[in-house]
């Protein structure tokens, strides 16, 4: 979900102020709602996966800060907020993200992006699948990983 600029007992905090997630395969189940609060077509319980390591973990929530300016991370314990200004499809957009860490293997994300709201539940699944590189994002089809992109690709930044 990096195209959307995607963020108890938590792990040690990283430099940007967010707790470190468990390295490995993470599954995200996401629903996007419009200004009327109704889910957008084809945006209900969309399941994607990503391969997370210590170097790429926060890039998924902070867009590697390349498309955003003045990002502010606040919070502690298990609840954090990210606010700032980002560029979406060439247009400036204010973002507000809330991350609730049940622990280092279970994170809930709510992001307000313009008139859309993104709700994601992220859960650790274990080791990354064969053929995945840290930062890879995509889905699983017939038991195999299908890569959509990598958080480090220049097109994502």
């Amino acid at each position: 979900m990096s195209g959307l600029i995607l963020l108890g007992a938590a792990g040690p905090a990283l430099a940007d102020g967010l707790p470190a997630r468990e390295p490995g395969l993470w599954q995200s189940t996401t629903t996007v709602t419009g200004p009327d609060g109704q889910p957008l077509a084809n945006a209900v319980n969309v399941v994607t996966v990503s391969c997370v390591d210590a170097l790429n973990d926060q890039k998924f929530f902070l867009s590697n800060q390349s498309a955003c300016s003045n990002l502010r991370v606040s919070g502690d314990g298990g609840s954090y907020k990210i606010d700032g200004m980002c560029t979406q499809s060439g247009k400036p957009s204010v973002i507000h993200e809330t991350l609730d860490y049940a622990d280092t293997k279970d994170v809930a994300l709510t992001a307000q992006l313009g008139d859309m709201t993104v709700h994601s539940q992220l859960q650790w699944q274990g080791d990354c699948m064969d053929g995945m590189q840290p930062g890879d994002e995509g889905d699983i089809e017939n038991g195999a990983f299908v890569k959509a992109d990598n958080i480090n690709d220049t097109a994502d930044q």
Side-chain angles (χ1 to χ4, degrees):
M1 303 286 332
S2 68
L4 293 173
I5 305 185
L6 301 187
L7 284 178
L14 298 178
D16 290 305
L18 296 173
R21 290 185 294 164
E22 189 75 24
L25 181 68
W26 280 77
Q27 177 176 297
S28 173
T29 304
T30 301
T31 297
V32 181
T33 57
D36 60 359
Q38 297 300 309
L40 300 180
N42 300 317
V44 177
N45 295 326
V46 176
V47 177
T48 58
V49 294
S50 55
C51 183
V52 173
D53 69 355
L55 294 175
N56 293 291
D57 181 17
Q58 293 198 12
K59 291 179 185 180
F60 288 100
F61 298 127
L62 301 173
S63 187
N64 200 20
Q65 297 190 16
S66 59
C68 302
S69 61
N70 301 319
L71 284 180
R72 293 171 307 283
V73 177
S74 61
D76 58 24
S79 188
Y80 293 81
K81 292 187 182 297
I82 301 171
D83 295 291
M85 187 66 122
C86 297
T87 302
Q88 294 281 119
S89 304
K91 299 178 183 175
S93 177
V94 175
I95 66 159
H96 303 286
E97 293 183 15
T98 302
L99 293 133
D100 291 308
Y101 289 75
D103 55 39
T104 60
K105 297 180 180 181
D106 189 2
V107 180
L109 164 78
T110 302
Q112 188 67 46
L113 304 166
D115 60 359
M116 294 186 308
T117 303
V118 178
H119 302 278
S120 295
Q121 188 66 42
L122 299 91
Q123 294 182 319
W124 183 77
Q125 302 296 305
D127 292 335
C128 292
M129 297 178 74
D130 288 340
M132 289 183 89
Q133 299 296 316
D136 277 353
E137 300 175 281
D139 59 14
I140 299 172
E141 295 178 13
N142 298 318
F145 173 67
V146 177
K147 181 178 174 178
D149 62 10
N150 186 292
I151 195 73
N152 296 302
D153 292 345
T154 55
D156 290 338
Q157 299 183 21

